[in-house]
Amino acid sequence: MRILKQCNYQEVYKKELKQGISILEKGEKTFPCFATEESEVFMSIGENVASSIAFIGSSYPNEEEKELIKLYSAEALLNGYPITIRSLFGSEHAVLSGAFISNGSIRVILDMGLGIALKKYKQTLSLIVLNSGQVLSPFESNEEYSYETKRYCDTLISNLPLLVFFSLSKREYELALLALDKGNDIVLHRNSLKDKRARRLVAEGAFVTDSFQDLLRMCTLEPKGYLYKDKEQNLLFFKV
């Protein structure tokens, strides 16, 4: 049994944050291999994270939804499933919160240039690196969110065997359809069903879950443990 961390990272880890930011600003140029024929140069910082599952969602959730996403993500990581995300805001920021409380490894495939990301999200990127995560970003330092970069990053993510959606914008809906066309599995968190596009995806064969335990059982896998709160509302992970 393990109590998960609950703290203000910026205050508690000031020294480590500086170290992480230093690592980020130095950078390490590598050429990651993906299951795609397309050729693109990415900058890779941090560990090499092998992930077969992506958590996607760009909308801004309310406090209750943030907590659900955080717990869903923490449970995935504590059960040994590293997560890929695409952005550092919206629902995916709540995914990062789950990673930070569980010490889990996250891989971020950013569709903005690393130069821009360092200006806007320096401390967040630092925490990802400190938690043995990986940041992949194209050498596109002056142009944010270009169409080609978006398309390429979504192609990489659509190759993963399993994509979990917490919300559905037009872009996310197109990503889900792309993954389905490739024969990969799509899972929708129940909260996303408020969107009519989510209901269309269910008709296309997407699964719906409330928790990561549900998802594992749907895949005929047994959880290694589960999250719960004690009397003092501390979040605990109980290993089975």
Side-chain angles (χ1 to χ4, degrees):
M1 194 183 301
R2 168 181 166 192
I3 298 180
L4 274 65
K5 295 182 291 184
Q6 296 183 19
C7 63
N8 182 327
Y9 286 88
Q10 292 187 14
E11 289 302 315
V12 176
Y13 294 115
K14 279 182 179 175
K15 183 180 175 184
E16 288 84 353
L17 274 170
K18 283 182 183 175
Q19 177 198 350
I21 288 167
S22 172
I23 293 168
L24 283 170
E25 289 176 338
K26 268 191 223 170
E28 177 187 320
K29 298 177 185 180
T30 61
F31 299 83
C33 294
F34 291 100
T36 174
E37 292 178 358
E38 297 183 57
S39 173
E40 183 87 353
V41 179
F42 271 71
M43 176 176 276
S44 175
I45 295 175
E47 304 292 328
N48 185 20
V49 177
S51 169
S52 59
I53 180 169
F55 283 8
I56 306 293
S58 61
S59 69
Y60 287 87
N62 60 36
E63 290 305 312
E64 183 182 350
E65 290 167 341
K66 281 182 192 172
E67 187 68 12
L68 287 171
I69 295 168
K70 181 176 82 172
L71 297 182
Y72 196 109
S73 306
E75 200 162 52
L77 292 159
L78 287 163
N79 273 280
Y81 294 89
I83 298 168
T84 294
I85 59 174
R86 189 181 59 182
S87 73
L88 302 171
F89 50 83
S91 300
E92 290 172 59
H93 188 269
V95 174
L96 285 171
S97 298
F100 296 153
I101 64 170
S102 61
N103 283 329
S105 295
I106 288 277
R107 179 176 66 180
V108 189
I109 298 179
L110 277 176
D111 55 11
M112 68 174 75
L114 193 60
I116 292 169
L118 280 170
K119 287 176 189 173
K120 291 189 174 182
Y121 304 107
K122 186 178 281 187
Q123 289 184 319
T124 303
L125 293 172
S126 174
L127 284 171
I128 292 167
V129 171
L130 288 170
N131 278 272
S132 301
Q134 182 180 20
V135 180
L136 289 165
S137 184
F139 290 117
E140 195 173 317
S141 55
N142 298 317
E143 186 181 355
E144 186 178 5
Y145 296 109
S146 78
Y147 173 77
E148 283 303 312
T149 307
K150 279 184 182 180
R151 183 187 62 78
Y152 184 71
C153 290
D154 283 356
T155 298
L156 294 178
I157 291 171
S158 69
N159 287 327
L160 296 177
L162 181 64
L163 280 72
V164 179
F165 289 86
F166 294 103
S167 64
L168 283 163
S169 66
K170 180 184 176 184
R171 180 183 172 191
E172 287 153 358
Y173 179 64
E174 289 171 353
L175 171 59
L177 291 177
L178 182 60
L180 283 172
D181 285 345
K182 293 180 178 182
N184 296 327
D185 289 323
I186 296 299
V187 172
L188 304 175
H189 190 273
R190 193 166 296 279
N191 275 350
S192 69
L193 294 179
K194 293 177 278 188
D195 191 301
K196 63 183 180 182
R197 285 175 285 221
R199 297 191 287 276
R200 284 185 209 146
L201 286 174
V202 172
E204 292 281 342
F207 302 101
V208 179
T209 62
D210 289 304
S211 69
F212 193 74
Q213 284 187 65
D214 289 344
L215 174 55
L216 285 177
R217 293 193 180 103
M218 199 175 286
C219 299
T220 65
L221 297 168
E222 283 300 317
K224 294 177 183 175
Y226 59 90
L227 289 172
Y228 72 99
K229 289 183 178 179
D230 64 13
K231 291 178 182 177
E232 286 75 40
Q233 295 301 296
N234 291 312
L235 195 58
L236 307 174
F237 180 67
F238 181 77
K239 288 188 177 180
V240 177

